[in-house]
Amino acid sequence: MMSYLETKNGFGHYSAKPIRSESAETTIELIIPRHFAGARLDQVLAQLLPDWSRNRLQAWIREKRISVDGRDAIPRQKVWGGEKIEVKPAHCSIETSHAAEAILLDIAYEDDELIVINKPAGLVVHPGSGNWQGTMLNALLHHAAQLAAIPRAGIVHRLDKDTSGLLVVAKTLEAQTSLVRQLQKHTVTRDYLALVLGQVSVGGWVDAPVGRHPVQRTKMAVIASGKEARTHYRVQEKFDESTLLQCSLETGRTHQIRVHMHSIGYPLMGDPVYGGKPKKSILEAMRLIGFSRQALHAQKLELTHPQSGMRMGWEAPLPEDMSNLLLKLRQHQ
């Protein structure tokens, strides 16, 4: 059996902390924190057990793998705090998904408090449904074994699998607390280069809430019930049928830039989920260089160092595939 203790970190959020045992059967036990009163069980478990998606947890509820105070949980069940939860995971275990793996990391900066990584397109940041190994988290545990003691191995924000660029990882609990607080206060600067379809005449911003799509649950959308989201954009370069933008995040919602730009009629080039239909010349340019992802790169990152208090910044050059795509577009001008 694997038990979980409710632990409160320095920035007011709760997580499930594992206590390992030698039993062959794995059962997770935890107590629902009081501040989740009135919330749905699947939503609470998705926060306390981030190694599994909410869809997977919902499936386990239907399969009667989750109990509340000794009784089988039911779909859409609410909790009020203090309930004893037991989860019997199926298939992949936490130990497997959190195994250290010798995966090369492109490290832009590292000290005793944090690591700044230039993530390549194609690398998943955190294990999840369909991607239990070969992730950046697995690579981090191999690079710095002490990260096993930090929730999510110190990962405080993410990039989509097919988005390249910079993200920061905390190496201590104190650094993690500081970085999360900075993210919450919107004092971490995150600038992206985004190649969008259509000609954007001037810069601006999108201030529209982002949440789970009401029908297509694997997608996000601008929706009234979503979370506050704000993206600023500036024109960097114009092409015949596309525009290179610099996008700056105030908030960091899932797929935020992709959803926001799609919502105003300028979807990201190559986006398989939110992208529009490119003109023939763009399709030809993408085909010639084999470009098959959303054209989004986290170019700049700036934050306050958790220990020294100094403001620090980094910039990652465009990866080769996106540089080659821009070159092809310029040739068609």
Side-chain angles (χ1 to χ4, degrees):
M1 176 179 290
M2 182 182 291
S3 298
Y4 276 67
L5 293 180
E6 174 192 331
T7 60
K8 185 175 182 181
N9 59 32
F11 41 90
H13 295 291
Y14 286 76
S15 61
K17 181 180 180 180
I19 301 177
R20 303 187 183 277
S21 70
E22 301 304 320
S23 173
E25 181 181 2
T26 298
T27 298
I28 298 169
E29 294 181 350
L30 54 87
I31 304 297
I32 298 296
R34 298 287 179 186
H35 76 280
F36 283 120
R40 275 175 39 176
L41 175 63
D42 60 337
Q43 296 172 334
V44 174
L45 291 179
Q47 294 188 53
L48 297 179
L49 303 173
D51 299 283
W52 295 291
S53 69
R54 194 166 74 172
N55 285 340
R56 182 176 291 268
L57 292 164
Q58 289 171 338
W60 289 349
I61 290 174
R62 294 191 296 270
E63 294 167 5
K64 302 189 184 304
R65 290 182 171 275
I66 299 177
S67 65
V68 180
D69 289 333
R71 297 183 178 181
D72 290 336
I74 58 176
R76 307 185 71 85
Q77 179 171 351
K78 290 188 176 182
V79 293
W80 304 100
E83 295 95 336
K84 180 181 178 181
I85 309 298
E86 290 192 359
V87 181
K88 296 179 179 179
H91 308 303
C92 185
S93 68
I94 290 178
E95 291 93 334
T96 302
S97 64
H98 281 194
E101 296 181 45
I103 300 169
L104 183 65
L105 291 171
D106 182 0
I107 296 176
Y109 175 84
E110 182 175 10
D111 61 22
D112 291 339
E113 301 295 321
L114 52 82
I115 310 172
V116 176
I117 294 172
N118 183 16
K119 186 188 86 68
L123 179 63
V124 174
V125 171
H126 192 282
S129 181
N131 293 287
W132 293 107
Q133 288 87 42
T135 71
M136 195 183 81
L137 184 145
N138 299 112
L140 284 167
L141 293 175
H142 181 270
H143 173 76
Q146 70 269 29
L147 291 175
I150 310 296
R152 294 180 177 86
I155 296 169
V156 295
H157 67 120
R158 305 187 191 186
L159 297 176
D160 297 335
K161 174 184 176 181
D162 288 325
T163 298
S164 56
L166 297 171
L167 74 166
V168 63
V169 175
K171 293 180 71 175
T172 67
L173 286 171
E174 292 77 14
Q176 188 179 57
T177 300
S178 172
L179 292 172
V180 170
R181 282 177 174 162
Q182 291 181 54
L183 288 164
Q184 291 173 339
K185 293 178 180 178
H186 312 314
T187 59
V188 176
T189 300
R190 288 171 289 170
D191 291 342
Y192 293 69
L193 287 177
L195 190 56
V196 301
L197 299 177
Q199 288 191 320
V200 183
S201 55
V202 294
W205 67 90
V206 184
D207 191 349
V210 172
R212 188 68 57 183
H213 193 287
V215 178
Q216 298 170 282
R217 303 300 291 174
T218 58
K219 296 176 61 174
M220 307 300 287
V222 169
I223 185 170
S225 60
K227 295 181 179 179
E228 175 191 17
R230 190 174 297 108
T231 304
H232 299 264
Y233 60 92
R234 291 187 294 175
V235 174
Q236 297 292 104
E237 189 173 356
K238 295 182 180 181
F239 305 100
D240 286 341
E241 298 165 334
S242 59
T243 310
L244 180 65
L245 301 177
Q246 182 186 71
C247 297
S248 301
L249 295 181
E250 277 195 40
T251 54
R253 308 305 177 200
T254 301
H255 299 176
Q256 179 174 316
I257 293 175
R258 299 164 65 189
V259 170
H260 271 173
M261 298 316 299
H262 174 266
S263 74
I264 62 172
Y266 299 108
L268 266 66
M269 190 180 297
D271 193 327
V273 179
Y274 308 100
K277 186 176 181 180
K279 298 292 179 67
K280 184 177 179 180
S281 60
I282 293 177
L283 286 172
E284 179 65 12
M286 294 173 64
R287 185 191 66 80
L288 285 172
I289 67 166
F291 193 90
S292 59
R293 67 176 179 99
Q294 65 262 11
L296 186 62
H297 175 66
Q299 180 193 31
K300 296 179 181 179
L301 176 68
E302 185 178 305
L303 52 83
T304 300
H305 192 277
Q307 186 176 61
S308 70
M310 292 180 58
R311 196 71 180 167
M312 303 181 71
W314 301 269
E315 184 169 343
L318 276 175
E320 184 177 7
D321 64 344
M322 203 162 161
S323 293
N324 289 340
L325 181 57
L326 288 173
L327 182 61
K328 287 293 181 185
L329 294 174
R330 291 181 185 121
Q331 291 172 350
H332 283 89
Q333 290 287 78

